[in-house]
């Protein structure tokens, strides 16, 4: 291996860590906020709203839309790969273990939605804005976890990843139901055929990227053209990828793809989305309006309060009823800290705010999402640091 290849390999390994991904995401968010609120703010909005792409198949998208529809599909593909691996050969391979993050995710969607509806009832736009606090940002939440919880068992990361993926899948289904203006059956049929062909090629152990890359692009275009949010194509392809290595095979396709694509997801896809999604105008009036206007307040409390109540409440109930098992090595206080991380809505919550509302209402909802995500991150970080120290002390005394 040449020195150049070693440097590239080490850089890619560095970018695979959630710590690095979280830091890069934070930097991109900060740049977006500073840029949008600087004298160059008009240039930021011009670039974000600039349309590029052919009219054919509805691909004449703005730069911001390409970031959220295209780049996020890569991120969700990597998340789907990791989730599939955990479901088949990892910590979620047993039904009762896999059940807990699913049940927790459902609780973490239903309760915030009900909280948002209760607070914003009667306000214009709440019929669609209730969906904003249902999502959890995978990249941001895992980044905070990696930065603050080094001594927690690995099952904490698996639980959070699974919860966040299920949560965001649910949010994408909400997007598909609430925000699909038209549904193209032909395009949906093409997407299903492409996914079926991808699964068949995996089953036949075909490895050529010359088949898979065009097939993935066809799937993405078909899902997008069908009127469904295109990120679901990434999750579907990830879940159809083979995770068990064959005899004589060094590593399974899922692991190989995860290693190759995670640096691109962490260093390019998610930060660029954040750069074009988080650039909202913030001033004293808009911050005051978040706390004094019912709709953004509904989003804020839904994320910060509704998430932890829904996630922890559903988890405790599922364990008590013996329909699920608590992750190995995790106690209730650990679950509470992880539940607080569920309030980091960021990526998909910003996306839903963009789709659900227009004008000033959209900007206030986005400001509420950013504030809620910041509050949830800081509170969760404090809780996780305490739990990490408790686990470290328990390990030292053992």
């Amino acid at each position: 291996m040449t020195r150049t290849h070693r440097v590239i390999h080490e850089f890619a390994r560095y970018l695979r860590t959630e710590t690095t991904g979280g830091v890069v995401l934070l930097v991109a968010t900060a740049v977006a906020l500073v840029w949008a609120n600087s004298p160059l703010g008009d240039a930021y909005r011009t670039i974000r709203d600039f349309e590029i792409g052919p009219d054919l198949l509805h691909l004449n998208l703005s730069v911001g839309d390409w970031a959220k529809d295209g780049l996020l599909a890569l991120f969700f593909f990597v998340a789907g790969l990791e989730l599939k691996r955990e479901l088949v050969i990892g910590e979620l391979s047993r039904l009762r273990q896999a059940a807990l993050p699913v049940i927790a995710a459902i609780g973490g969607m239903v309760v915030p939605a009900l909280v948002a509806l209760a607070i914003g009832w009667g306000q214009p736009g709440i019929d669609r804005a209730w969906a904003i606090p249902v999502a959890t940002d995978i990249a941001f939440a895992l980044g905070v976890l990696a930065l603050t919880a080094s001594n927690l068992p690995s099952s904490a990361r698996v639980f959070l990843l699974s919860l966040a993926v299920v949560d965001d899948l649910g949010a994408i289904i909400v997007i598909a139901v609430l925000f699909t203006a038209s549904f193209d059956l032909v395009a949906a049929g093409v997407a299903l055929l492409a996914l079926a062909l991808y699964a068949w090629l995996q089953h036949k152990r075909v490895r050529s990227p010359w088949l898979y890359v065009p097939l993935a692009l066809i799937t993405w275009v078909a899902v997008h053209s069908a009127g469904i949010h295109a990120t679901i194509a990434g999750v579907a392809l990830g879940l159809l990828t083979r995770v068990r290595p064959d005899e004589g095979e060094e590593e399974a396709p899922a692991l190989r793809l995860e290693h190759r694509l995670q640096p691109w997801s962490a260093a390019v896809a998610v930060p660029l989305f954040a750069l074009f999604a988080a650039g909202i105008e913030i001033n004293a009036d808009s911050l005051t309006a978040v706390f004094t206007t019912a709709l953004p307040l509904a989003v804020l409390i839904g994320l910060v309060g509704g998430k932890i109540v829904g996630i922890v409440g559903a988890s405790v109930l599922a364990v008590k009823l013996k329909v699920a098992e608590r992750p190995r090595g995790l106690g209730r206080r650990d679950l509470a800290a992880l539940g607080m991380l569920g309030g980091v809505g960021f990526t998909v919550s910003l996306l839903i705010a963009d789709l659900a509302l227009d004008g000033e209402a959209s900007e206030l909802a986005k400001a509420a999402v950013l504030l809620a995500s910041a509050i949830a991150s800081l509170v969760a970080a404090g809780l996780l640091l305490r739990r990490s120290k408790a686990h470290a002390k328990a390990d030292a005394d053992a």
Side-chain angles (χ1 to χ4, degrees), residues 73-140:
L74 173 63
F75 166 70
F76 276 102
F77 177 63
V78 173
L81 290 173
E82 190 161 0
L83 181 61
K84 172 73 177 288
R85 185 158 47 83
E86 293 297 339
L87 286 169
V88 176
I89 59 176
E91 302 219 17
L92 300 178
S93 54
R94 290 176 55 211
L95 181 61
R96 288 180 66 193
Q97 286 179 325
L100 188 64
V102 174
I103 293 169
I106 293 170
M109 293 178 67
V110 172
V111 175
L114 291 175
V115 168
L117 278 171
I119 295 171
W121 190 259
Q123 295 297 310
I126 193 63
D127 57 322
R128 292 155 70 89
W130 62 264
I132 297 172
V134 303
T136 295
D137 186 277
I138 302 171
F140 223 128

Side-chain angles (χ1 to χ4, degrees), residues 58-78:
H58 312 291
L59 294 177
N60 54 327
L61 305 175
S62 69
V63 171
D65 286 336
W66 276 111
K68 70 186 178 188
D69 287 4
L71 292 177
L72 277 190
L74 173 63
F75 166 70
F76 276 102
F77 177 63
V78 173

